[in-house]
Amino acid sequence: MRPTYPGRSEPFIRRDFIAILAGLLLLVAISDARAETCPTSADELATDRPDVTNSSLVVPTGSFQSENGVNLTSQNGGRTLDGSNTRWRLGVAPCLEVFVDLPNYVGSIRGSAASGFTDIAPAVKWQVSPLPGKVDLSFVVGAALPTGAAEVAGRGTQPYLQMPWSVELHDGWGISGMFTEFFRPAETDTKHVTEATFVLEKKLNEKLSLFTEYVGDYPEHAGPVQLINSGGLYHLSPKEQIDFHVAFGLNHNSPTYIVGVGYSFRIDGLFDGARDLRRASR
């Protein structure tokens, strides 16, 4: 069931979206992100899961990354299962990737919650780093397209703007977070939602990391949805990862709990053949 959040008028939301987008494009234009600071195929897999906060790093150029998972959610006495939560990511240039969230099926296994597919959601991600203070930062522009069930995904095209960031501290500790603005102009109730996250992470060894995360969704003129989300990830290899997470709601608007597991992998060198062909033709 969709929450009933009162929102602003559609023209105001459009002005907001255009202003924020223009600001992001300006920041990208004036940044001096260099190709040598961007991830390469020699770097370890960095995913946008299992926490809500996405990675501040893009996929290396010529690499394809598949991130997948399943969640069990309990809310208002009902339970739903959703999967496969698949995100496909492709590095298309240094510090630049395109990705798409594939339709995800949400099924009610207890209670009367709506069932159906979510929308397909393409996006572009630009990494601008490192910034002063060794901060990694990315800008994301995307939109959920109206391909799923309205009862599950909402109505109309739903654009969003996102800024994930991260800072590595000492002894394997790190902090990260994300700021997201969601716009839903076709909805009659939920027009605009701001999401903020904050993560404290500890790398225990070369393969295992644990995290604790705060997630807050703040719709205008309505109560927030707040979660504490904790879990971990384990690298089977530098390019394979399994993960888990458990989240608990902090107020009556939130799910009682969410439990999830996932598997991700990366394939490198997809553009090597084309590069070799260009060299041979010279």
Side-chain angles (χ1 to χ4, degrees):
M1 180 181 296
R2 300 190 313 280
T4 54
Y5 304 139
R8 292 176 286 185
S9 65
E10 184 174 343
F12 193 22
I13 290 177
R14 286 174 179 166
R15 290 197 298 272
D16 267 2
F17 180 77
I18 293 172
I20 296 174
L21 178 59
L24 294 183
L25 293 177
L26 177 62
L27 286 172
V28 169
I30 65 176
S31 69
D32 67 345
R34 297 167 298 175
E36 59 265 27
T37 68
C38 303
T40 70
S41 58
D43 293 316
E44 190 175 59
L45 179 76
T47 66
D48 290 342
R49 55 168 301 115
D51 48 359
V52 175
T53 304
N54 293 335
S55 173
S56 60
L57 305 178
V58 298
V59 172
T61 304
S63 295
F64 168 77
Q65 192 160 301
S66 179
E67 305 175 7
N68 314 275
V70 178
N71 292 315
L72 174 66
T73 302
S74 174
Q75 186 170 16
N76 298 326
R79 292 179 183 172
T80 58
L81 189 68
D82 62 272
S84 61
N85 294 305
T86 296
R87 171 170 288 186
W88 285 350
R89 304 171 61 185
L90 179 65
V92 294
C95 288
L96 182 67
E97 74 168 64
V98 294
F99 68 84
V100 60
D101 292 323
L102 301 183
N104 175 55
Y105 187 77
V106 179
S108 175
I109 58 177
R110 179 179 175 182
S112 56
S115 297
F117 283 97
T118 60
D119 294 338
I120 189 170
V124 177
K125 183 175 184 178
W126 186 293
Q127 180 182 332
V128 184
S129 63
L131 299 180
K134 298 181 179 179
V135 177
D136 283 314
L137 174 69
S138 289
F139 298 127
V140 179
V141 179
L145 306 180
T147 56
E151 295 78 10
V152 173
R155 295 175 175 81
T157 300
Q158 301 175 30
Y160 70 90
L161 301 171
Q162 196 170 73
M163 290 178 286
W165 59 270
S166 64
V167 180
E168 289 189 12
L169 304 177
H170 300 290
D171 300 322
W173 290 95
I175 57 174
S176 59
M178 188 170 68
F179 179 80
T180 309
E181 293 287 341
F182 296 100
F183 303 92
R184 301 172 178 175
E187 291 286 351
T188 59
D189 42 27
T190 310
K191 294 285 188 180
H192 174 245
V193 179
T194 297
E195 182 177 79
T197 70
F198 183 81
V199 182
L200 178 64
E201 183 176 4
K202 170 64 173 177
K203 189 171 184 178
L204 300 181
N205 54 48
E206 292 302 314
K207 292 182 177 292
L208 178 63
S209 298
L210 300 177
F211 72 89
T212 296
E213 174 186 45
Y214 168 80
V215 181
D217 287 347
Y218 298 93
E220 258 196 335
H221 307 134
V225 175
Q226 297 175 311
L227 296 166
I228 289 294
N229 184 35
S230 296
L233 55 92
Y234 182 82
H235 283 102
L236 300 171
S237 74
K239 301 177 184 180
E240 286 184 284
Q241 169 188 303
I242 56 174
D243 59 62
F244 74 95
H245 72 103
V246 180
F248 296 97
L250 299 179
N251 58 13
H252 67 279
N253 295 326
S254 309
T256 305
Y257 65 80
I258 305 172
V259 179
V261 295
Y263 168 75
S264 304
F265 65 90
R266 192 181 78 206
I267 301 173
D268 298 322
L270 298 183
F271 300 163
D272 289 351
R275 185 161 48 243
D276 293 341
L277 183 61
R278 288 197 301 270
R279 290 174 179 171
S281 63
R282 289 175 183 174

